Amino acid sequence: MHVSLRSLVASLPLGISLLRFLGVDNPTSQLPLQDIAIIEKPQDPHVAGTRSYVLRFGTGIAAPDGYQRKVITINENYGGPLLFGNKSDRFNIAVGNKLYDRDVFQSTSVHWHGINQFLTNAEDGVGWVTQCPIVPGLFFEYYFPTNGQTGTYWWHSHVSTQYCDGLRGPLVIYDPQDPFLGMYNYDNETTIITLEDWHHTPALASFNGTTLFPNPDSVLINGKGRYAKLNDPNYRKNNKLSVINVQQNSTYRFRLINMSCLLSYNVTIDGHKFYVIESDGTATRPVLVDSLQIYIGQRYSIVVKADQPVNNYWFRANPSKNITNQNLVDDPGLNNAIFRYQGAPDIEPPASKNTSTRPLKESQLVPYNAPGADEIRKKTREWTINNASFTPPPLPVLLQILRGTRNAQDFLPKGVVYTLPMNTAIRVNIPDTNGIFDAHPFHLHGHSFDLIRPAGEYVENYSDPPRRDDGPSGVSFCFQTDNVGPWILHCHIDWHLSQGLAVVFAEAPYDIGRVRPRPDLEAVCKAFNESGLPPS
């Protein structure tokens, strides 16, 4: 749907609006599955400007895998809309919270995953680190420049396990001077591929913190999938999978985004190889592969040429863990989408096996621009995540800094906040946790890092290491402290983040005056404190 809400956006005051919504969402109607909702259509792609969006959160009923359940809605639809802009654009995004339903976590914040927020730390959208959560009935506006970043990103709630109920969506910053423009014909909203794990029970009811995670019921690709429904011969016929449409001999840039809460995936397309040209917003030298592993929060751009006979092929997202009851049914469409050539019949491919012979190794991801971390090697301070858990403090870390806190031992929560000096190379070691859990995908806010030792590698690479902002455990990475403010480093398995698997780097707190101020942050906290809602 293409809706112009420019007048509505223009009417919103800066910062927080005490606009109260009328009524409560009707949870009884079946919601449409959202394809794309562009609030404001782009102007000349070669002219930088402000991209304005409105995101209104509520609740409703949807069945993305054929099983009806209560979900979080965005603009009265299930599935977050694509937000996009061009290089050097600014974003103005008004978030309205209408989550009055107590079956879901009611307060919220929105993180723009992968956007470094240079000197705009208050826009990072992390509950209890950069802001208090937004309570129901309030609007809160996020306004930030992109500072030359381009590539594939996403947005999601950053309180509790809320995004597992559907509060997430893609974000893309296009580069009109993309160095790989000559490699592909198509790169638009139809070539974005999102991967999600899905549960039939809302997050608050399915997870009480006493286990490692709840087991997913299905995998969604672009918001659709199937679960292992037993003894229903009509289920497969009545629940269609997502279709990725291509035209023979055309070439496509597909942007893969893992928006899951638990699962990583091995991605393949039957009969097709592809070039990897981007990881986590960093352009990489093209690497030809036939499969890749994508962890939570990670993004890849792949270039695929539709050079096979006209037919239907499986696009596979093989999950890292078993899905409920899938071993009890024979449905080749589970965890898959259909890669359909124009002219192919409207049917699913037959059951088949696909074996990868050329998988991507993360060490192959050489940055296209300015590779290397030799300067970091010369002046690195080393950090290891230690035995402390992040719990919501009485005041967000950013506000603690703004009120004068400077020393690590004085921050709350205790033992979780590390102060870092400005213009220093920091090395972080995250140990292998295979004895406890197979892989914890860690995401660093405010920075891309140089992955000097990827998972499974034993030789450090400072000459041309991969550069990204998400990676699994069992790695070492470095980054430069050049972005003032508190930045969280956390496991992106949302169930584990809710159990405290995170630390905060308070970067150059004595220079906090360089960060663009947000006077309304105190008002957001006042509203939250008066709401009586739980902090997590």
Side-chain angles (χ1 to χ4, degrees), residues 463-504:
S463 60
D464 54 5
R467 185 171 298 141
R468 59 188 324 155
D469 55 58
D470 287 272
S473 49
V475 303
S476 296
F477 63 80
C478 297
F479 67 97
Q480 190 80 14
T481 55
D482 56 7
N483 195 5
V484 178
W487 305 107
I488 192 170
L489 169 69
H490 64 90
C491 176
H492 222 295
I493 293 173
D494 220 29
W495 319 105
H496 295 175
L497 174 58
S498 72
Q499 293 174 310
L501 190 47
V503 296
V504 176

Side-chain angles (χ1 to χ4, degrees), residues 4-49:
S4 175
L5 292 177
R6 191 174 307 167
S7 59
L8 176 58
V9 173
S11 71
L12 294 172
L14 291 176
I16 188 170
S17 166
L18 296 178
L19 175 64
R20 290 283 171 182
F21 292 88
L22 298 176
V24 179
D25 284 324
N26 178 3
T28 62
S29 60
Q30 173 71 38
L31 290 162
L33 297 182
Q34 179 81 336
D35 291 322
I36 179 173
I38 305 210
I39 305 303
E40 182 171 328
K41 296 178 69 173
Q43 309 300 317
D44 184 341
H46 300 289
V47 177

Side-chain angles (χ1 to χ4, degrees), residues 254-256 276 278-279 292-293 299-301 360 365 468:
F254 292 107
R255 297 175 182 266
L256 310 179
V276 178
E278 178 214 351
S279 64
L292 60 80
Q293 189 79 11
R299 296 88 62 205
Y300 285 102
S301 281
L360 174 69
L365 298 173
R468 59 188 324 155

Side-chain angles (χ1 to χ4, degrees), residues 55-343:
L55 302 174
R56 293 188 298 273
F57 303 151
T59 54
I61 299 294
D65 64 355
Y67 183 93
Q68 286 198 351
R69 56 151 288 190
K70 189 172 291 183
V71 301
I72 291 178
T73 63
I74 298 96
N75 299 339
E76 300 181 349
N77 289 280
Y78 166 74
L82 167 66
L83 310 182
F84 69 90
N86 291 296
K87 185 176 183 179
S88 299
D89 279 352
R90 297 174 296 276
F91 283 92
N92 186 10
I93 304 170
V95 169
N97 183 355
K98 199 180 178 184
L99 295 170
Y100 296 107
D101 194 319
R102 294 185 180 181
D103 287 341
V104 299
F105 199 80
Q106 292 178 272
S107 62
T108 193
S109 68
V110 181
H111 171 56
W112 320 99
H113 188 113
I115 302 300
N116 288 340
Q117 300 292 1
F118 181 69
L119 299 183
T120 54
N121 177 264
E123 314 299 326
D124 199 40
V126 182
W128 304 114
V129 176
T130 62
Q131 67 172 94
C132 287
I134 307 160
V135 299
L138 298 187
F139 259 113
F140 185 82
E141 285 192 51
Y142 295 92
Y143 183 78
F144 54 90
T146 53
N147 294 309
Q149 284 188 264
T150 61
T152 310
Y153 307 92
W154 61 299
W155 55 271
H156 59 86
S157 165
H158 217 296
V159 294
S160 186
T161 53
Q162 192 177 59
Y163 87 72
C164 305
D165 288 327
L167 207 165
R168 51 192 167 190
L171 189 159
V172 175
I173 304 175
Y174 294 99
D175 184 0
Q177 283 78 46
D178 175 22
F180 304 123
L181 276 175
M183 291 184 66
Y184 53 84
N185 308 114
Y186 297 97
D187 176 23
N188 53 40
E189 66 270 17
T190 69
T191 63
I192 295 170
I193 301 175
T194 60
L195 309 174
E196 305 166 71
D197 46 22
W198 190 243
H199 297 77
H200 290 169
T201 305
L204 282 182
S206 64
F207 186 66
N208 60 13
T210 60
T211 61
L212 285 176
F213 55 86
N215 211 50
D217 292 292
S218 62
V219 170
L220 308 181
I221 301 177
N222 283 347
K224 295 181 182 179
R226 287 205 290 257
Y227 70 101
K229 188 169 186 179
L230 307 176
N231 305 318
D232 184 351
N234 295 317
Y235 171 67
R236 285 169 58 180
K237 180 178 66 176
N238 295 334
N239 289 273
K240 300 294 187 181
L241 300 172
S242 288
V243 176
I244 302 164
N245 291 297
V246 297
Q247 185 174 3
Q248 193 177 39
N249 296 320
S250 290
T251 309
Y252 298 80
R253 176 177 182 161
F254 292 107
R255 297 175 182 266
L256 310 179
I257 309 173
N258 186 348
M259 305 195 304
S260 296
C261 290
L262 172 69
L263 298 176
S264 62
Y265 306 93
N266 187 266
V267 173
T268 60
I269 308 172
D270 285 8
H272 296 76
K273 293 183 173 66
F274 45 85
Y275 286 95
V276 178
I277 62 168
E278 178 214 351
S279 64
D280 294 359
T282 296
T284 64
R285 296 174 188 172
V287 181
L288 182 64
V289 301
D290 64 5
S291 69
L292 60 80
Q293 189 79 11
I294 183 168
Y295 290 93
I296 302 173
Q298 289 186 336
R299 296 88 62 205
Y300 285 102
S301 281
I302 63 173
V303 173
V304 183
K305 184 171 184 180
D307 57 2
Q308 297 301 303
V310 171
N311 209 336
N312 294 293
Y313 301 84
W314 286 123
F315 176 99
R316 303 175 188 262
N318 188 37
S320 56
K321 295 189 177 299
N322 294 328
I323 308 298
T324 302
N325 290 335
Q326 284 196 357
N327 62 323
L328 302 179
V329 298
D330 181 19
D331 181 355
L334 293 174
N335 316 321
N336 292 345
I338 301 169
F339 194 77
R340 176 169 291 158
Y341 279 64
Q342 182 178 337

